[in-house]
Amino acid sequence: MHVIDSHTGGEPTRVILSGGPDLGSGPLQDRAACLAQDHVAFYQSVMCEPRGQPAMVGALLVEPVDPDCVTGVIYFDADAVLGMCGHGTIGLAVTLYHLGRIGLGSHKVETPAGVVVVDLSDAHTVTVTNIESRRVHQAVEVSVPDQGTVTGDVAYGGNWFFIVDPSPIAVTPANIPVLTQMAIAMREAANAAGVGGERGEPIDHVVLQDQSDDPEVHSRNFVLCPDDTYDRSPCGTGSSARLACLAADGSLVPGDEIVQQSVIGSPYRLSYQPGPNGGVIPTITGQAFVTAETTLMFHPCDPYQRGIPI
């Protein structure tokens, strides 16, 4: 299996160029559902140790339905197939440029959540114009064991987020273990209470927001991903969901740019424009760097051919 690895703000992406499963044709949502239902062993073998690493997201290249798109892509981590991935899209664009498949400028990419636009300003810097994002519930109270009542917003940015602002504890690297366990408990409590999307979609990510001491930085965040690892980047779909909340609160006007930092300090530049359906169209600018070009091997006698179970 031929793959290229990169990182976006510290968050790894593995683009699968060849050797992935045949998902057929048709809408990317259907092909993503096929991947999720029928090929769990495949994506866990690629994402889990010993071949993968915690927090890694896979990007499986597929033929797009929309002929205007340079590629279709289905994202996944070790635990779930994703609707969209912001850091992965930045990493994908940089990887395609590295391969000579696209040049600088704007290109369309088809994802299960919809068509997004990537704009490469140089070999490492990408602006993603995401799908329309929206807040669906404001100030929802959830009873969390050992934490009491936690209040958060539910928002969609390509994945489903429970956003708590402010975080109960400081968003710092030293607090990552505690933040992780806290966010896992919040997600479990929210899903147990039926808190989620309009059609009952479960929460898959949790965002804990905090202020920054740097006047040039709007805020810092901790983002829990479906595989219970934290996002090293500020999370593109999470930042999109956050923009939808800021817009709904009247805290950020269209076109104004802010800097969002991750828990490890890596930044995205964010802004939005009003969406046609009452949400927002987010733009996320970040940097990615290619780290490896690799051929993955799967020996039939390898006891961990399918990865180490998480």
Side-chain angles (χ1 to χ4, degrees):
M1 183 181 297
H2 185 199
V3 304
I4 292 186
D5 293 348
S6 65
H7 79 85
T8 306
E11 181 78 351
T13 303
R14 172 163 285 170
V15 176
I16 299 165
L17 302 174
S18 64
D22 182 1
L23 302 177
S25 58
L28 258 66
Q29 284 186 333
D30 293 347
R31 283 183 267 175
C34 176
L35 181 65
Q37 294 165 10
D38 301 332
H39 300 283
V40 175
F42 155 73
Y43 65 75
Q44 288 188 343
S45 72
V46 177
M47 293 291 99
C48 292
E49 297 177 276
R51 294 177 192 86
Q53 59 179 297
M56 177 175 276
V57 165
L60 176 63
L61 298 188
V62 297
E63 284 295 319
V65 176
D66 187 335
D68 292 334
C69 293
V70 294
T71 189
V73 60
I74 300 173
Y75 295 110
F76 54 90
D77 66 12
D79 190 67
V81 174
L82 308 173
M84 173 44 193
C85 180
H87 96 265
T89 303
I90 294 171
L92 171 62
V94 166
T95 296
L96 294 177
Y97 180 81
H98 168 77
L99 291 169
R101 296 190 182 185
I102 61 173
L104 301 181
S106 294
H107 309 275
K108 292 182 178 180
V109 174
E110 189 170 359
T111 79
V115 173
V116 301
V117 178
V118 296
D119 196 314
L120 281 79
S121 54
D122 59 47
H124 304 291
T125 307
V126 181
T127 296
V128 177
T129 302
N130 198 9
I131 51 96
E132 185 167 357
S133 303
R134 63 193 186 275
R135 181 169 70 185
V136 299
H137 299 297
Q138 181 183 13
V140 178
E141 293 187 346
V142 176
S143 179
V144 182
D146 300 323
Q147 297 180 43
T149 301
V150 175
T151 303
D153 290 354
V154 176
Y156 178 77
N159 298 297
W160 287 99
F161 292 85
F162 187 67
I163 303 175
V164 178
D165 184 11
S167 171
I169 63 172
V171 173
T172 64
N175 285 339
I176 286 172
V178 178
L179 289 163
T180 300
Q181 295 307 311
M182 180 180 293
I184 290 172
M186 289 178 183
R187 184 178 62 199
E188 290 177 348
N191 287 331
V195 173
E198 301 100 327
R199 297 178 178 85
E201 300 92 339
I203 299 296
D204 42 47
H205 293 69
V206 173
V207 180
L208 305 177
Q209 288 286 153
D210 199 5
Q211 297 301 308
S212 171
D213 294 332
D214 185 344
E216 300 298 318
V217 174
H218 180 271
S219 51
R220 294 171 64 90
N221 69 14
F222 172 91
V223 181
L224 178 76
C225 299
D227 59 2
D228 292 345
T229 58
Y230 74 94
D231 200 322
R232 279 69 168 163
S233 81
C235 186
T237 55
S239 293
S240 298
R242 167 73 168 160
L243 284 170
C245 295
L246 292 174
D249 289 338
S251 300
L252 185 68
V253 300
D256 277 7
E257 189 174 77
I258 60 173
V259 175
Q260 173 75 62
Q261 280 187 340
S262 73
V263 66
I264 67 168
S266 57
Y268 283 161
R269 299 199 315 272
L270 309 175
S271 64
Y272 76 90
Q273 292 295 330
N277 300 305
V280 301
I281 304 297
T283 57
I284 307 126
T285 301
Q287 286 196 317
F289 296 85
V290 171
T291 57
E293 185 166 357
T294 308
T295 299
L296 300 182
M297 298 183 181
F298 301 82
H299 196 285
C301 296
D302 181 356
Y304 297 110
Q305 178 187 2
R306 296 190 173 186
I308 300 171
I310 56 173

